[in-house]
Amino acid sequence: LQGGCTVDYSKVSDRHVDDKRFERESEHKRSLETANNASSGQTAPPSAAYDAFIRMQLGQGDRTIADKINDPNRLTWDHFKKINAEKLDLHGGEIKKMVEYRKQLDRDREDRLKRSKSKQRKKDSSSGSPSESERSNGPSLSLDEKAKRKKKRKKRRDKKEERKRVKNSSNDSGRIETEKDNSRDK
């Protein structure tokens, strides 16, 4: 060997013998090829990991656009939309989710109300309390209790009216006095 840096290819093997991943992938590829050849005659596309490994071995960097487009492992548009629905928000996804969430809350609330009403009915029927129509008219009170409440209401109304009268009379007397003062000044 003279001068430059050249490689003696007689001493280099055609592949890496010590690389277990390469061996495993090539064995898997051969088994797939034999199975496919026996059944349909087509070969299965290599996996993305194997493809990346081969590119690294060959010293290639990223895949070309043509490689990316023709990749059999590439996502379809429908699958991409499902994965990235929140980011894309094509059809007002957040609004739909919010409406659905509110509907679910309404359903849950209705269920809870139905359960509590049924429990109340069971308690009422077992304790012998008034029927549904009597409950809708308010609590059943004895005549004495009703009379007491009526008196309290009347007292409150009377006190309120008395306060209004006192307030109005004080305002009227104040006006009269100011009118007297004004007439004196003239």
Side-chain angles (χ1 to χ4, degrees):
L1 299 174
Q2 294 180 359
C5 184
T6 59
V7 177
D8 185 8
Y9 288 102
S10 64
K11 296 181 180 177
V12 177
S13 64
D14 59 344
R15 61 187 168 87
H16 294 281
V17 177
D18 60 339
D19 191 354
K20 298 205 184 295
R21 290 180 299 178
F22 179 81
E23 293 293 328
R24 186 178 60 232
E25 190 66 36
S26 62
E27 181 63 35
H28 179 67
K29 186 177 179 183
R30 274 188 243 122
S31 67
L32 287 176
E33 285 178 3
T34 55
N36 284 338
N37 287 338
S39 63
S40 65
Q42 291 182 331
T43 61
S47 68
Y50 178 73
D51 189 37
F53 176 73
I54 294 299
R55 277 196 320 278
M56 283 176 36
Q57 289 295 321
L58 296 174
Q60 296 174 343
D62 291 332
R63 298 184 299 170
T64 63
I65 293 174
D67 289 340
K68 290 179 181 179
I69 291 173
N70 296 325
D71 184 10
N73 299 320
R74 187 176 65 148
L75 292 175
T76 63
W77 173 241
D78 294 329
H79 191 246
F80 180 81
K81 281 195 301 188
K82 285 180 186 175
I83 293 171
N84 298 306
E86 290 180 8
K87 294 176 190 171
L88 294 174
D89 196 24
L90 293 175
H91 303 287
E94 284 191 34
I95 295 169
K96 286 182 180 178
K97 287 180 182 178
M98 184 173 54
V99 168
E100 182 60 33
Y101 177 69
R102 287 180 179 170
K103 285 180 183 177
Q104 181 63 36
L105 288 176
D106 289 342
R107 279 186 245 128
D108 292 344
R109 185 178 66 238
E110 290 297 323
D111 290 343
R112 278 189 256 119
L113 286 173
K114 285 179 184 176
R115 276 188 257 131
S116 66
K117 285 181 181 178
S118 65
K119 285 181 183 179
Q120 184 67 27
R121 286 184 190 138
K122 287 179 184 177
K123 286 182 183 178
D124 289 346
S125 63
S126 65
S127 65
S129 63
S131 66
E132 184 78 27
S133 61
E134 291 174 3
R135 255 186 284 140
S136 64
N137 293 335
S140 62
L141 300 174
S142 68
L143 292 176
D144 293 334
E145 290 174 343
K146 286 182 181 180
K148 285 179 184 178
R149 284 189 177 185
K150 199 171 187 180
K151 282 182 182 179
K152 278 186 180 181
R153 282 189 214 124
K154 189 173 181 187
K155 278 186 180 180
R156 283 187 208 137
R157 266 189 258 124
D158 291 343
K159 282 183 181 179
K160 196 174 186 181
E161 288 174 8
E162 184 64 31
R163 278 188 232 129
K164 283 183 182 179
R165 274 189 237 126
V166 170
K167 188 177 179 183
N168 288 337
S169 67
S170 66
N171 286 343
D172 290 342
S173 64
R175 282 189 206 139
I176 295 170
E177 289 175 11
T178 54
E179 288 176 6
K180 288 179 184 175
D181 291 339
N182 290 339
S183 63
R184 285 183 203 156
D185 292 339
K186 289 182 186 179

